[in-house]
Amino acid sequence: MRQQVLPLLFCSLSLIVACGDDGGSAAPDAQAASEDAMVGCSSQPSLCAAPVFISSTDLSGMMGSAGLQIVDVRSQGDYEASHIESALHVEASSVRGSVDGIGGQVADLATTESVFANAGLSNDAKIVVYGGATDTGATRVYWTLRYYGHENVSVLDGGIGVWSGATATGASGATKSDYK
């Protein structure tokens, strides 16, 4: 049970640290943790600008932007039936693993890198992840990307159900990348 709670606790703490103020009122240990979590922000501020959730309107305004990758985490069948135009596909279950026989854990780094590389994800991309309106797959993939250091990632608030922009059908056709 403790191993199942630790990833959730880590994710919650990451969000608290990322959303907390930096006004100097934090305790020294909390301040150091915040600074450690934001390594790279001073040299690449765009990595730290990603909100956890992004609206359909904001995503629509970003469409066609260089470096934007959209990731659909629904089943292969749902993806092929209809997905946001140019969206790549990663099944959320593919980044789950088991540790000491306990399922539902984050997959190991090699597996995760392979899944993201096969989907065509880029290390430098602004990634927006979405799923169905009520599933947790998008937040699982969001958290996995963050867990392994990809900070420029957001979740489409409301999932595919709120998208009114262009859609496509069929398989992804993505080219394998060197995601690490």
Side-chain angles (χ1 to χ4, degrees):
M1 176 68 176
R2 184 175 62 185
Q3 288 181 347
Q4 290 177 323
V5 174
L6 288 177
L8 180 59
L9 178 61
F10 175 78
C11 186
S12 299
L13 290 174
S14 296
L15 290 174
I16 291 168
V17 169
C19 296
D21 76 34
D22 194 22
S25 60
D29 289 343
Q31 186 71 30
S34 176
E35 289 169 4
D36 288 345
M38 303 302 270
V39 169
C41 291
S42 60
S43 63
Q44 295 180 304
S46 63
L47 292 179
C48 303
V52 174
F53 294 101
I54 187 169
S55 72
S56 176
T57 303
D58 288 343
L59 178 57
S60 184
M62 296 169 60
M63 294 301 287
S65 298
L68 174 66
Q69 290 187 309
I70 303 167
V71 179
D72 185 319
V73 300
R74 298 173 303 147
S75 71
Q76 184 71 35
D78 287 345
Y79 172 83
E80 290 180 2
S82 179
H83 56 268
I84 295 175
E85 190 173 63
S86 77
L88 303 172
H89 183 251
V90 171
E91 287 209 30
S93 62
S94 64
V95 293
R96 290 187 182 136
S98 67
V99 176
D100 297 329
I102 299 172
Q105 305 300 306
V106 66
D108 62 79
L109 180 60
T111 299
T112 302
E113 287 176 344
S114 176
V115 166
F116 292 153
N118 287 331
L121 294 184
S122 171
N123 293 324
D124 300 325
K126 159 61 176 167
I127 297 175
V128 176
V129 182
Y130 74 91
T134 60
D135 67 41
T136 60
T139 53
R140 168 59 98 164
V141 172
Y142 163 87
W143 180 79
T144 303
L145 283 159
R146 292 294 310 253
Y147 181 81
Y148 285 121
H150 196 112
E151 296 183 33
N152 200 359
V153 59
S154 298
V155 175
L156 176 60
D157 192 6
I160 188 71
V162 300
W163 182 250
S164 61
T167 59
T169 60
S172 167
T175 304
K176 185 175 179 176
S177 70
D178 60 354
Y179 190 92
K180 295 272 181 217

